[in-house]
Amino acid sequence: MVKLLAILTVLISLGGCNSMSNAVAKPALLTEVNSGVITVLQQAIIKAKGGTLVTLADTVFTKRSELLLSHGNSKDPNGMPIMGAHNIKSEKFVLQIIGEQCVLYYPKKDMSIELKNVSCKAQ
């Protein structure tokens, strides 16, 4: 009887671990957007790709789970676009939910960044 109880305890604890590790990332939308959420997203983007602070609309991730950041066109002193400067690819980010946690996924580096104090729902 003691052995049976020990085996059941191990199986139950393993089942709990498997459910956490098997959590699937799903595309998500923000449930609330405010200046704090925008700041968390901006910091996550900088952490993922580096560079400078990006400007995000207050509707970011409210209609689509994907964000494409375009690089501005470099211009010469006369204000004309520099040839080839428009060929820089956009950067893609995806808002996801894994279990109850919102994360920002950066496919280019296969990197997920946990977004603290950000609420989202599966799309």
Side-chain angles (χ1 to χ4, degrees):
M1 183 68 169
V2 173
K3 287 183 181 180
L4 180 60
L5 184 57
I7 291 171
L8 285 175
T9 303
V10 169
L11 289 175
I12 290 171
S13 65
L14 287 176
C17 292
N18 286 339
S19 65
M20 289 297 287
S21 64
N22 290 337
V24 177
K26 300 175 188 170
L29 298 175
L30 292 174
T31 57
E32 179 183 356
V33 181
N34 56 43
S35 61
V37 170
I38 297 290
T39 300
V40 170
L41 289 169
Q42 289 172 322
Q43 294 302 319
I45 290 169
I46 290 172
K47 182 176 181 180
K49 74 173 201 68
T52 59
L53 193 68
V54 296
T55 302
L56 299 174
D58 58 0
T59 57
V60 66
F61 294 124
T62 58
K63 296 180 180 21
R64 297 187 61 208
S65 61
E66 294 183 355
L67 170 67
L68 293 176
L69 291 179
S70 299
H71 296 276
N73 288 341
S74 298
K75 297 184 180 181
D76 67 17
N78 297 325
M80 299 300 293
I82 297 173
M83 294 297 291
H86 62 281
N87 293 333
I88 301 172
K89 292 184 178 181
S90 297
E91 301 277 352
K92 179 180 176 180
F93 293 88
V94 183
L95 183 68
Q96 297 179 331
I97 188 165
I98 302 173
E100 299 290 320
Q101 182 61 54
C102 297
V103 297
L104 186 66
Y105 178 63
Y106 185 42
K108 184 176 180 178
K109 292 185 179 176
D110 192 26
M111 172 188 248
S112 293
I113 299 169
E114 182 179 326
L115 302 172
K116 295 186 186 284
N117 302 317
V118 174
S119 62
C120 61
K121 62 182 179 183
Q123 185 177 16

